[in-house]
Amino acid sequence: MRLIRHFQDVPPEGRGAVVALGNFDGVHLGHQVVIQQAAEIARSKNAPLAILTFEPHPRSFFRPQDPHFRLTPFRIKTRHLQALGVDFLFELTFDAEMVARSAENFVTEILVEGLHIAHVVVGYDFCFGKGRSGNAAMLTEYGGRHGFGVTSVAAAKAGDGPAYSSTLVREQLQAGDPRSAAATLGRPWEIEGRVEHGDARGRLLGFPTANVALGDFMEPKLGVYAVMAADDSEEHPHWIHGVANLGRRPTVGGTRVQLEVHLFDFAADLYGKHLRVALIDFIRPEMKFNGLDALKTQIAVDSLEARRLLKDYHGPQPGLPGHTQRP
């Protein structure tokens, strides 16, 4: 997949693409339906498959004071999109200039004169342009004028459940329900980051941990989770079962939210490595214990519960979205 951060002077091989347009935070099952539809049209036209998205996320631009909310920061989102067989990722800067563009200007200058698109695919609720004045119906009207096709994809959902959405995933994670979040995403939600040196207290307690900062990821419900973890540098990640505490560590006077992961039957050095941690099941809320002995006892109990939950787990497996087949 080729990353292009502008719409001017796009190389010839990137023009005439079928473009899926949106933020795609989470790359959940609803997003995957939109991208799959674009892939099918791209195959029929023998055209490149492209994604057009924006950084920073518009919510970060309009509400910078909000807590972190991203399900997939840009690096992670890029990896998921690549796994879906995308040829070109157009990542445009979302700034005051972009906000001021009218819907018509966005279409004519970016989609038509810049990218020379052949077709655009959007979700049913996609809006664009100054004041969110543009929608799928307006895109269809402009497509008729400028010679590109438009497909609006209906809401995707499981049975009578709610439509798949990034908001739904956030609500499920904040409620301490990673299993439902996995059903919406099509895979368990992951926190990724470089393993940092901590105070080695976990090792002294007999439960060494890999410590990962939450970074730009949203904050799910704080507490103890059954997890699977893998080294991100591996081409074919080997997922290891474990237990993790996501929180501030009140028993030892901690203040910063971080993820502490204890991997079962694992002794290799992870310091400095980039670790992927998939939240599989919620065990209990974070709590303050009366001393380290009580904490050690509870960690042992949590570990046994995590082993049980992971042994019986038959839900979506961690990893990447399913690959879109391309000719």
Side-chain angles (χ1 to χ4, degrees):
M1 183 178 73
R2 185 169 175 182
L3 173 62
I4 299 177
R5 298 180 184 271
H6 55 83
F7 63 88
Q8 302 94 342
D9 301 319
V10 171
E13 60 270 23
R15 299 175 185 176
V18 176
V19 177
L21 178 56
N23 289 310
F24 300 108
D25 184 28
V27 196
H28 55 65
L29 290 176
H31 292 148
Q32 292 175 46
V33 170
V34 172
I35 295 168
Q36 180 64 43
Q37 182 67 61
E40 292 174 2
I41 297 170
R43 281 196 295 270
S44 70
K45 294 180 175 292
N46 195 27
L49 171 62
I51 298 288
L52 174 57
T53 190
F54 307 92
E55 287 291 331
H57 191 288
R59 178 171 160 181
S60 295
F61 178 84
F62 288 114
R63 295 155 55 183
Q65 74 283 355
D66 279 8
H68 292 307
F69 66 93
R70 295 291 292 267
L71 297 168
T72 47
F74 184 68
R75 174 184 174 275
I76 313 304
K77 181 170 70 174
T78 298
R79 186 179 65 207
H80 288 314
L81 295 175
Q82 183 172 7
L84 290 170
V86 174
D87 299 308
F88 290 90
L89 175 57
F90 296 104
E91 180 256 300
L92 303 186
T93 301
F94 195 86
D95 54 14
E97 181 180 354
M98 184 65 71
V99 170
R101 286 182 183 274
S102 67
E104 182 175 13
N105 177 271
F106 179 85
V107 170
T108 56
E109 187 169 347
I110 295 179
L111 299 185
V112 178
E113 297 171 5
L115 306 184
H116 302 272
I117 66 168
H119 199 103
V120 64
V121 182
V122 295
Y124 69 100
D125 57 351
F126 179 76
C127 295
F128 68 100
K130 184 177 181 180
R132 295 171 57 85
S133 59
N135 54 28
M138 187 177 291
L139 269 176
T140 301
E141 179 184 343
Y142 287 132
R145 294 184 202 171
H146 296 285
F148 62 86
V150 177
T151 298
S152 175
V153 179
K157 58 184 180 179
D160 296 329
Y164 299 130
S165 70
S166 302
T167 298
L168 176 61
V169 178
R170 295 185 191 105
E171 291 172 349
Q172 291 164 335
L173 292 170
Q174 289 167 342
D177 189 4
R179 286 194 179 226
S180 292
T184 304
L185 290 165
R187 65 189 186 281
W189 184 65
E190 298 176 27
I191 297 171
E192 301 188 18
R194 199 159 303 282
V195 177
E196 305 172 340
H197 284 277
D199 52 21
R201 188 174 282 109
R203 188 173 301 277
L204 293 174
L205 293 172
F207 297 94
T209 60
N211 304 313
V212 178
L214 200 55
D216 291 336
F217 287 95
M218 66 155 287
E219 183 180 296
K221 185 173 182 177
L222 301 184
V224 177
Y225 289 83
V227 302
M228 298 182 193
D231 182 350
D232 186 37
S233 65
E234 298 174 349
E235 184 176 355
H236 302 289
H238 173 59
W239 293 91
I240 303 169
H241 290 182
V243 64
N245 182 76
L246 177 66
R248 295 184 173 85
R249 304 174 300 152
T251 303
V252 297
T255 57
R256 185 184 70 158
V257 173
Q258 69 178 30
L259 186 66
E260 297 179 304
V261 186
H262 171 64
L263 300 178
F264 300 143
D265 311 312
F266 182 83
D269 184 6
L270 290 173
Y271 287 122
K273 293 186 178 294
H274 199 90
L275 197 66
R276 299 171 59 180
V277 184
L279 305 189
I280 303 299
D281 221 333
F282 186 78
I283 296 176
R284 62 168 177 83
E286 185 176 46
M287 59 185 70
K288 185 175 181 178
F289 292 92
N290 185 24
L292 295 181
D293 287 341
L295 174 59
K296 180 178 179 179
T297 299
Q298 185 62 50
I299 294 173
V301 172
D302 295 337
S303 297
L304 288 174
E305 178 64 3
R307 287 181 184 270
R308 183 190 70 79
L309 290 168
L310 292 166
K311 180 181 178 180
D312 296 338
Y313 178 71
H314 301 290
Q317 296 301 303
L320 296 171
H323 289 257
T324 299
Q325 297 298 315
R326 301 300 310 284

